Amino acid sequence: MIYSVSLKKLQTKTQKMQLSNNLVIGLDYGTDSGRAILMDAETGKELALSIKEYPRWKKGLYCNPVKTQFRQHPLDYLEVLEFIVKDVLYKVPGAAEKVKAISTDMTGSTPVAVNKEGVPLSLLPEFAENPDAMFILWKDHTGQKDNAYLNDFSKKWHIDYTKSAGCGDYSTEHFWTKALHIFRIPEIKQAAYSFVESSDWLPAILCGITKPEEIKRGMGIAGSRAMWNKEWGGYPPNEFFKTMDPSLDGLVDTFHKEAYTCDQIAGTITKEWATKLGLPENVLIAVGNLDCHAGAIGAGVKDKAMVEIVGTSTCAITVGPKSIGNKLVPGIPQQADDIILPGMVGFEAGQSAFGDLYAWFKRLLMWPLDNIMLKSNIGDPETRQNLRDEVYAEMIPSLARQAKIIPPKDSNIVSTDWINGRRSPNVNYELKGTITGIALSSVAPLVYKSLVEATAYGAKNIIDRFVDNGIKLNEIIAVGGISQKSPYVMQVMADVIGMPIKVIATREACALGVAMCAAVVAGIYKDLPEAQGKMGMEISNIYYPNQEYNKHYNQEFNKYLNLENIKELL
């Protein structure tokens, strides 16, 4: 099936430049928007970048934050795909015929129910406005009760298929929890044939693969979120799922039996999509990847180096040689062979809220002003809106300037970062955020300072878990929006962790990572380490820890850990 959308006129300034014959496109689909990066794989030069927000998501459609329901319509992905690819090609005249391969990444687990033809149910008229027929975004927690049932059932089965989660707990944010939740809905169960991850669906669309059994499912999602493991021959058997709940009977049998690494070919672009995007018909399409794994590749992940992708939430990713065997790090939710760099064991942890915690505090402080603006007759509406926007934009920078000059020892406030539950170590989405030690003298910058420290403690907790279990880390590399625009946060993070943090000179590490995958798929480089060496970005900054502050933070960190014990009171 080919999908058609109408786009606004692309208004960009064309560029003239020397191009090699080996160009690649990396497509990065984040939570709020999609972006395309056009790269010259031979020189490692970024030629063009295009970013577009998902139009329906931007309007808040199909979501209910109170119920932690977050859904995305497949047309958002397809419309953005057409716009961003055309846009980067328009910006670089003559580039289109030199593109050799495209690789994609998407958030995960973000799956959708499809029919026998591989069409998402929400693209059918009868399900067009049904959120349960759309992609279930990674941060959707509507299946929390289903997840508790899945974990309880799995512990009683003769093989615990959740055990690759180092703590033995499967996450609400993962594939099979969402399948159980959605397929328990009668109208979805009746109409659906299979369940497909967004990172697998988009490459299949570009290749014209329609049958769910033929879609090449990526090892990144299969091994880290869908219980795929060589130890038991791939996915768990249908008997396991059928016994867990009859609604899942036969579902796993609609999957391709193999899982494929991100440096393998999913197929070749269809004539229809080549025409639509203005590309040659021989462009190769890579197997899909997860955005955080792609970001780690783009940032230069390797043995003994951890990549911290720091944004609204975080992912902490490292790899190691397979010679370490089946060693599991307790409490780390994703660890499996080949999920990040083929040929290596991949480890993925992370925090459910990082920048989201600061955004919550900003909204909290802004509430009175927003309320006054709605009711006030002072000035005209445009003036009031401009004032509100100015205050909103200045809120966090102002708090950071004041927090920076307060020595850590002068604050008695200790907070936690579990405002959206805890992803790792030891997943627990029932945990709530806390702020302790406040007094009548506690001003907003002090509270903000404690929240920044809390997110840094969350990062340290993950790093300590790796180190304490024999995974050596010599290097911390940071990418993501906060690493680029929040020096105060990054310095506190270095002070708390007690290690230097290197910041990569790009905010588009995920797009860069999948561009590297595309270069390998196209045969330009033999493997991802070689592509990393040729196409990698330079270090833009290094944050060195203040050793005096680090000693203080080590003491405060123990208080942070002990705050989990008050969860029974919440």
Side-chain angles (χ1 to χ4, degrees), residues 269-321:
I269 196 168
T270 65
K271 180 178 180 180
E272 292 87 351
W273 272 108
T275 300
K276 183 181 291 294
L277 300 177
L279 288 167
E281 294 181 24
N282 62 349
V283 171
L284 297 174
I285 307 299
V287 169
N289 205 349
L290 276 170
D291 60 343
C292 56
H293 296 175
I297 293 169
V301 70
K302 58 186 177 182
D303 185 25
K304 299 182 179 63
M306 173 170 282
V307 171
E308 289 275 358
I309 304 172
V310 191
T312 55
S313 61
T314 73
C315 284
I317 296 175
T318 189
V319 296

Side-chain angles (χ1 to χ4, degrees), residues 454-523:
T455 53
Y457 293 146
K460 174 179 170 59
N461 200 16
I462 292 169
I463 290 170
D464 285 357
R465 184 61 61 91
F466 278 101
V467 174
D468 292 345
N469 285 276
I471 305 298
K472 190 173 183 180
L473 297 174
N474 296 335
E475 189 176 9
I476 305 295
I477 304 168
V479 292
I482 287 179
S483 72
Q484 296 285 337
K485 63 185 180 183
S486 302
Y488 171 67
V489 172
M490 297 310 299
Q491 185 59 56
V492 170
M493 196 169 168
D495 293 342
V496 168
I497 293 171
M499 292 177 65
I501 299 177
K502 300 177 181 178
V503 177
I504 296 295
T506 179
R507 292 185 64 179
E508 308 302 337
C510 298
L512 175 60
V514 282
M516 292 173 179
C517 294
V520 175
V521 163

Side-chain angles (χ1 to χ4, degrees), residues 237-258:
N238 184 59
E239 186 66 24
F240 168 73
F241 295 111
K242 180 175 68 172
T243 307
M244 181 193 305
D245 194 288
S247 67
L248 297 181
D249 186 16
L251 183 59
V252 73
D253 294 332
T254 69
F255 297 0
H256 200 296
K257 302 307 179 186
E258 297 297 323

Side-chain angles (χ1 to χ4, degrees), residues 265-439:
I265 299 171
T268 304
I269 196 168
T270 65
K271 180 178 180 180
E272 292 87 351
W273 272 108
T275 300
K276 183 181 291 294
L277 300 177
L279 288 167
E281 294 181 24
N282 62 349
V283 171
L284 297 174
I285 307 299
V287 169
N289 205 349
L290 276 170
D291 60 343
C292 56
H293 296 175
I297 293 169
V301 70
K302 58 186 177 182
D303 185 25
K304 299 182 179 63
M306 173 170 282
V307 171
E308 289 275 358
I309 304 172
V310 191
T312 55
S313 61
T314 73
C315 284
I317 296 175
T318 189
V319 296
K322 290 185 179 180
S323 59
I324 67 175
N326 293 323
K327 180 180 181 62
L328 292 176
V329 179
I332 300 305
Q334 291 94 46
Q335 39 197 316
D337 291 352
D338 305 312
I339 59 174
I340 299 162
L341 286 182
M344 304 194 80
V345 181
F347 298 90
E348 179 198 341
Q351 295 163 264
S352 294
F354 201 96
D356 270 352
L357 184 57
Y358 317 149
W360 163 79
F361 189 54
K362 179 164 65 172
R363 291 194 302 271
L364 185 73
L365 296 180
M366 283 295 297
W367 185 89
L369 181 58
D370 282 340
N371 197 44
I372 291 169
M373 290 297 186
L374 287 172
K375 298 180 179 179
S376 175
N377 292 320
I378 301 173
D380 61 90
E382 183 178 355
T383 299
R384 292 200 302 272
Q385 183 63 40
N386 289 339
L387 175 60
R388 185 262 181 204
D389 291 347
E390 184 176 346
V391 174
Y392 197 85
E394 179 58 24
M395 181 72 71
I396 293 297
S398 179
L399 289 168
R401 285 193 296 269
Q402 293 301 310
K404 181 180 179 180
I405 64 178
I406 303 172
K409 62 182 178 58
D410 288 354
S411 173
N412 293 316
I413 303 175
V414 179
S415 300
T416 63
D417 57 317
W418 308 321
I419 195 169
N420 194 33
R422 184 175 61 204
R423 184 182 301 163
S424 55
N426 302 334
V427 59
N428 187 345
Y429 285 107
E430 299 297 328
L431 285 177
K432 307 298 180 186
T434 56
I435 301 174
T436 66
I438 57 175

